[in-house]
Amino acid sequence: MPKISCQKQQESYAVGTYGRGSERERYRGATVRESVPFAVLGSVTVAWSSMSTSYDAIIIGTGQAGPSLARRLAAGGKKVAVIERKLFGGTCVNTGCIPTKTMVASAYAAHMAKRAADFGVDTSGVSVDMKRVKARKDAISGQSRVAVEGSLRKQENCTVYQGHARFESAHEVSVGAERLAADQIFINVGARAVVPKLPGVDQVPYLTNTSLLDVDYLPKHLIVVGGSYVGLEFGQMFRRFGSEVTIIEMSSRLAHREDEDVSTAIREILESEGVHIRTDAECIGFSKRGNDIVAKADCKEGEPEIVGTHVLLAVGRQPNTDDLDLDKAGVVVDKRGFIQVDDQLRTSVAGIWALGDCNGKGAFTHTSYNDYEIVAANLLDNDPRRVSDRILAYGLYIDPPLGRVGMTEAEVRKSGRRALLGKRVMTRVARAVEKGESLGLMKILVDAETKEILGAAILGTGGDEAVHCILDVMYAKAPYTVIQRAVHIHPTVSELIPTMLGEIKAI
Ligand SMILES: Cc1cc2nc3c(=O)[nH]c(=O)nc-3n(C[C@H](O)[C@H](O)[C@H](O)COP(=O)(O)OP(=O)(O)OC[C@H]3O[C@@H](n4cnc5c(N)ncnc54)[C@H](O)[C@@H]3O)c2cc1C
């Protein structure tokens, strides 16, 4: 097989992250079938195709499932094509988890530096250099992107195409002028920020989670529309960098899917740092006033207008399925555009699977990666893993973070089952007090009959880590007494979980 470069790949890459020259190097590993006639233009070898190039598998998108699946299939001797239209590694690597958590770490450093005197440490003249914050974020995110891309390009039996994929039929996909065919197609196209049709939204320059990451200066007053995970993380982060921040939320409380006590504690954390919060915003709209942006928010209390300098729209995500020509393949989506899949991630069309955020079964990096594990186990290991084996778990990365697993108290109550509840505020957790980070609470719910843990929330320092000992007992389907009798290390947040379980009461 000749190792040559493809014209379409190079053309589309010119608008990507890397320069054309370096890209020629990167494409040395790309494989093109021998039967395609090709010509040489200067030093670039060009493939021309009017018929399909055949593969065993085509993977669309390089999010958290696609690359692992591509490597696994290719390592097993399958001929694999991977198609990516923009940045390798997808949302988590480029515009989601990695860049945001890198910036959350910068914001934490700024916050602790400003609080240094509380700990008996003298500091003066603390300031935040947003250019360096962004440079650090770009470097860490860039390392991951390069690693994902490099691993795919180096992988034997794997051909990388850069461009937008569209279905031509149930077994054919086009990328620019290329047409690829395979019996197995895996869709891992992810999701993007929703731009809501709010009055005046097209009259103002708004930011999304993607464009805000390119900001290398301090917005004077950032208005965040949306009081859920993305909005809360960015809101606290920019407040800690030094911006004035107002979060506008349509429902009556922040992170409204959480229990009311958790929502209230999140609000207290943010307000203690000077974030303005406007809930019950019934009619949100925008207009320009000089250089400022005016957000109209008909809240039950407070001024009807908020005047800021920048607006972040953080009201949800929509799947990238509207520009895939799925109808040509017959793949069924729901009314929000999520691809319908069964418990083993098969779509309505035999030979096509959907993994990650685009199937609506999860909205996290770990759920997308687990989708890869499920598909690989079913196809390659004769192991019938299922999505329904997965227990809901996620983090909300404000500081202190929220670690969440399983059901909320509201869901348990609604289910009508007999249940037990344990709860402890973080002011009663020695480690939190010692660290001077005692805001938040932890709570746990247990089924009164089976003694199995139903769910938990730890909003507090280290909560995202500590919650895993609860999650693992849930996966083990062990009774709560296993963890209640475990001897945890002192002083940790986790050491209070057995104590809390010793105090559970009927709800
Ligand atoms: C601000 C923010 C913070 C987040 N923080 C966390 C967190 O802390 N923890 C967590 O677990 N999750 C977090 N998430 C969610 C997480 O990023 C996603 O759930 C995760 O990236 C899974 O995505 P995926 O595998 O479905 O696809 P994605 O990572 O979205 O990748 C999809 C890829 O497909 C490509 N693509 C799309 N359409 C086409 C096409 N037609 N042709 C070719 N390529 C195409 C895209 O360019 C993209 O590279 C966060 C998200 C955001 C927005």
Side-chain angles (χ1 to χ4, degrees):
M1 282 259 175
K3 304 259 178 167
I4 60 174
S5 299
C6 303
Q7 184 195 37
K8 275 295 148 202
Q9 292 168 353
Q10 283 215 330
E11 273 178 4
S12 52
Y13 226 77
V15 296
T17 313
Y18 305 100
R20 189 179 282 266
S22 61
E23 208 37 42
R24 200 167 293 161
E25 285 299 310
R26 288 170 202 281
Y27 273 103
R28 285 220 172 111
T31 310
V32 175
R33 76 194 191 289
E34 282 173 308
S35 58
V36 178
F38 59 87
V40 177
L41 294 180
S43 62
V44 183
T45 308
V46 180
W48 304 100
S49 165
S50 58
M51 43 194 284
S52 297
T53 307
S54 290
Y55 290 93
D56 294 317
I58 297 170
I59 294 172
I60 307 174
T62 63
Q64 292 301 309
S68 301
L69 188 59
R71 288 190 291 263
R72 181 80 205 276
L73 290 168
K78 299 278 186 199
K79 195 179 160 201
V80 179
V82 177
I83 310 167
E84 172 52 57
R85 72 175 175 193
K86 212 170 171 204
L87 300 177
F88 286 82
T91 308
C92 178
V93 165
N94 299 290
T95 58
C97 337
I98 292 182
T100 54
K101 270 76 240 182
T102 305
M103 289 173 73
V104 163
S106 290
Y108 181 71
H111 179 66
M112 293 310 281
K114 287 176 200 164
R115 287 191 60 205
D118 295 351
F119 299 85
V121 178
D122 285 333
T123 55
S124 58
V126 174
S127 66
V128 177
D129 180 343
M130 289 302 291
K131 286 195 168 35
R132 282 167 61 194
V133 169
K134 180 175 179 297
R136 177 175 183 271
K137 179 266 295 176
D138 288 342
I140 293 172
S141 165
Q143 275 168 13
S144 294
R145 179 171 57 247
V146 169
V148 173
E149 183 176 357
S151 73
L152 291 171
R153 294 203 187 285
K154 274 189 269 166
Q155 178 67 52
E156 210 180 331
N157 298 328
C158 180
T159 303
V160 176
Y161 290 83
Q162 182 116 39
H164 187 104
R166 289 176 198 279
F167 278 88
E168 296 296 336
S169 70
H171 296 295
E172 281 180 306
V173 170
S174 63
V175 200
E178 301 273 347
R179 214 169 159 116
L180 320 179
D183 286 342
Q184 296 184 330
I185 301 178
F186 304 92
I187 308 171
N188 179 217
V189 292
R192 62 182 184 273
V194 168
V195 176
K197 291 191 180 79
L198 295 170
V201 73
D202 49 348
Q203 311 293 313
V204 297
Y206 59 79
L207 296 156
T208 64
N209 68 283
T210 303
S211 48
L212 186 52
L213 291 170
D214 286 332
V215 163
D216 65 355
Y217 55 87
L218 195 66
K220 190 162 177 286
H221 184 169
L222 178 66
I223 299 171
V224 179
V225 180
S228 198
Y229 309 88
V230 173
L232 297 179
E233 288 181 21
F234 276 113
Q236 185 187 43
M237 181 199 301
F238 275 87
R239 178 67 194 141
R240 288 181 168 193
F241 290 146
S243 298
E244 190 175 345
V245 172
T246 303
I247 297 175
I248 304 176
E249 166 57 40
M250 288 168 87
S251 69
S252 59
R253 53 195 176 83
L254 299 178
H256 68 274
R257 287 192 195 91
E258 305 302 336
D259 283 330
E260 203 156 340
D261 49 1
V262 173
S263 282
T264 304
I266 289 171
R267 184 172 185 143
E268 279 166 12
I269 288 165
L270 297 176
E271 286 186 330
S272 73
E273 297 182 21
V275 176
H276 309 296
I277 292 166
R278 303 289 298 274
T279 44
D280 289 308
E282 275 157 20
C283 156
I284 301 169
F286 304 98
S287 58
K288 277 284 276 173
R289 186 177 295 160
N291 287 332
D292 289 334
I293 296 169
V294 181
K296 189 165 156 276
D298 264 339
C299 302
K300 281 187 181 149
E301 50 193 47
E303 292 298 315
E305 284 186 352
I306 297 141
V307 182
T309 54
H310 295 75
V311 170
L312 167 67
L313 298 178
V315 296
R317 314 263 309 154
Q318 68 183 83
N320 292 323
T321 53
D322 49 346
D323 50 9
L324 269 177
D325 290 346
L326 285 170
D327 51 329
K328 289 189 183 168
V331 172
V332 174
V333 297
D334 70 12
K335 59 180 188 308
R336 294 169 61 208
F338 290 103
I339 297 172
Q340 305 259 275
V341 288
D342 67 11
D343 212 15
Q344 286 157 319
L345 302 168
R346 292 176 289 223
T347 69
S348 53
V349 177
I352 305 181
W353 289 255
L355 302 86
D357 291 8
C358 68
N359 65 27
K361 298 256 179 200
F364 303 101
T365 283
H366 45 279
T367 49
S368 179
Y369 186 79
N370 181 232
D371 283 0
Y372 145 67
E373 294 177 314
I374 290 166
V375 168
N378 278 280
L379 287 180
L380 304 170
D381 302 333
N382 197 24
D383 177 358
R385 291 181 70 172
R386 291 170 183 276
V387 179
S388 52
D389 295 336
R390 187 156 78 203
I391 297 171
L392 179 75
Y394 54 86
L396 162 59
Y397 290 92
I398 57 162
D399 173 55
L402 170 68
R404 271 273 297 115
V405 294
M407 299 170 86
T408 61
E409 181 183 341
E411 286 166 345
V412 171
R413 285 182 185 277
K414 204 168 157 202
S415 75
R417 71 183 85 201
R418 280 204 312 117
L420 308 163
L421 170 70
K423 195 164 158 179
R424 175 166 284 252
V425 286
M426 295 303 283
T427 46
R428 293 180 61 214
V429 175
R431 187 68 197 276
V433 174
E434 289 149 10
K435 289 175 78 177
E437 298 178 18
S438 57
L439 290 173
L441 60 101
M442 55 167 94
K443 63 192 290 190
I444 193 161
L445 291 131
V446 171
D447 187 302
E449 270 148 43
T450 65
K451 307 276 184 263
E452 284 183 22
I453 298 170
L454 298 169
I458 305 183
L459 174 64
T461 181
D464 53 332
E465 299 287 351
V467 83
H468 282 89
C469 62
I470 299 173
L471 181 60
D472 291 341
V473 171
M474 290 172 75
Y475 270 111
K477 298 191 188 306
Y480 78 91
T481 45
V482 168
I483 195 166
Q484 188 199 349
R485 290 168 184 220
V487 180
H488 285 189
I489 296 166
H490 172 79
T492 58
V493 171
S494 304
E495 76 174 318
L496 271 303
I497 294 171
T499 314
M500 177 170 65
L501 281 166
E503 298 166 352
I504 51 176
K505 292 195 174 61
I507 57 169

